[in-house]
Amino acid sequence: MPRALDSLNQGGYVEPIDVTDADLNPVVALLKLTDQAARDRAREQIYGRLEDFKTACARTAKAKPISDDLRDLETVTTAMEPMRAIDQPDLALDALESLRSKNFVLYRRLQWQLGPRRIPDLIRAVDQGAESIETVAREVLAAIAALSEVIAKEDGRGAPTDYAARSLAVGLFRIWTSFTRRGTSRHNGTTGRFPFGEFVEAAGKLIEPDFKGRYVARQIHEASREES
């Protein structure tokens, strides 16, 4: 079965971007707008989508390979073995808490497996003496065992979805169709031009120089056809 979660937005503040009107002018020009007010509105909207893209790139944690996830879970399992946890409770709780910075997507998956109880609440309960480390360790171990079984059956083949890129392309799709009233398919003929793809790629490269805009633009174009 496919991976249950291949990336996750960690949240946070909007990332500033170093993009000027001069940088945006060639992108706006691809819309072929004749009205200056429309060009100004389009430029403002494109800028906003690029801010969102930069923020999503910075805040999105991607899942590690399945082998890494299982190894990270095994590390926590070792630290959480009841007798070891009773002997070294701080090390056990540190292993659990450090998963957040070491493997954020896995941490969230383990959190959901433990739900509705939150990992920070479990750690706090032990620190405050409300629950024993042994009780919490056994609860965590049961969740890890269940999650490990799920992960071991997942299919790690193929590239994970780039949600940040898709989100940018969706936003630019709306700008393109709203301002140009044109479709997003390739042009027929020997040139094989793809105006919408060129627009997405030109915009994305202002943030990520290696951005593959035509590829993600095709994905959004195909998705829009399926919905229509």
Side-chain angles (χ1 to χ4, degrees):
M1 68 183 191
R3 301 227 64 188
L5 188 68
D6 52 40
S7 68
L8 191 69
N9 193 307
Q10 302 176 83
Y13 296 103
V14 173
E15 291 284 326
I17 59 174
D18 185 19
V19 175
T20 66
D21 282 351
D23 296 326
L24 286 169
N25 284 340
V27 179
V28 176
L30 293 173
L31 297 173
K32 300 186 183 304
L33 303 175
T34 57
D35 181 69
Q36 183 60 48
R39 288 197 293 267
D40 291 342
R41 291 196 306 273
R43 180 183 292 104
E44 182 178 354
Q45 291 184 27
I46 294 168
Y47 186 91
R49 298 295 74 75
L50 292 179
E51 278 189 327
D52 293 341
F53 177 50
K54 176 71 175 292
T55 300
C57 289
R59 301 301 178 190
T60 300
K62 295 183 179 180
K64 292 186 177 183
I66 290 172
S67 58
D68 287 2
D69 278 355
L70 293 175
R71 185 167 56 250
D72 288 344
L73 287 177
E74 183 60 32
T75 297
V76 181
T77 296
T78 300
M80 278 285 174
E81 290 176 354
M83 295 308 297
R84 185 189 297 268
I86 291 171
D87 186 49
Q88 297 179 305
D90 289 342
L91 290 180
L93 296 178
D94 284 347
L96 180 60
E97 190 171 27
S98 67
L99 193 60
R100 180 182 180 91
S101 57
K102 184 178 182 181
N103 190 334
F104 183 75
V105 175
L106 182 63
Y107 174 88
R108 289 297 298 271
R109 293 190 68 179
L110 180 58
Q111 172 65 78
W112 293 334
Q113 190 70 47
L114 281 162
R117 304 191 70 187
R118 297 173 60 251
I119 290 175
D121 294 335
L122 294 175
I123 295 173
R124 190 178 303 109
V126 175
D127 287 340
Q128 296 177 352
E131 290 190 66
S132 70
I133 183 63
E134 181 180 4
T135 299
V136 169
R138 293 189 185 280
E139 185 174 348
V140 171
L141 288 177
I144 288 177
L147 181 56
S148 296
E149 186 174 341
V150 172
I151 290 176
K153 295 177 181 177
E154 290 177 345
D155 183 357
R157 294 174 298 177
T161 301
D162 189 337
Y163 290 107
R166 283 182 65 88
S167 180
L168 172 63
V170 168
L172 295 176
F173 173 87
R174 291 169 180 159
I175 292 172
W176 177 274
T177 55
S178 173
F179 281 93
T180 71
R181 305 296 180 185
R182 287 185 277 145
T184 55
S185 60
R186 286 178 176 274
H187 282 176
N188 294 325
T190 57
T191 61
R193 288 191 59 238
F194 184 22
F196 174 61
E198 294 168 12
F199 172 64
V200 173
E201 184 153 311
K205 282 183 178 295
L206 293 178
I207 304 299
E208 294 287 343
D210 296 328
F211 184 68
K212 301 297 188 295
R214 288 174 174 81
Y215 172 74
V216 71
R218 282 197 298 272
Q219 291 181 316
I220 300 307
H221 166 70
E222 292 299 329
S224 70
R225 290 180 61 189
E226 292 174 3
E227 293 175 1
S228 61

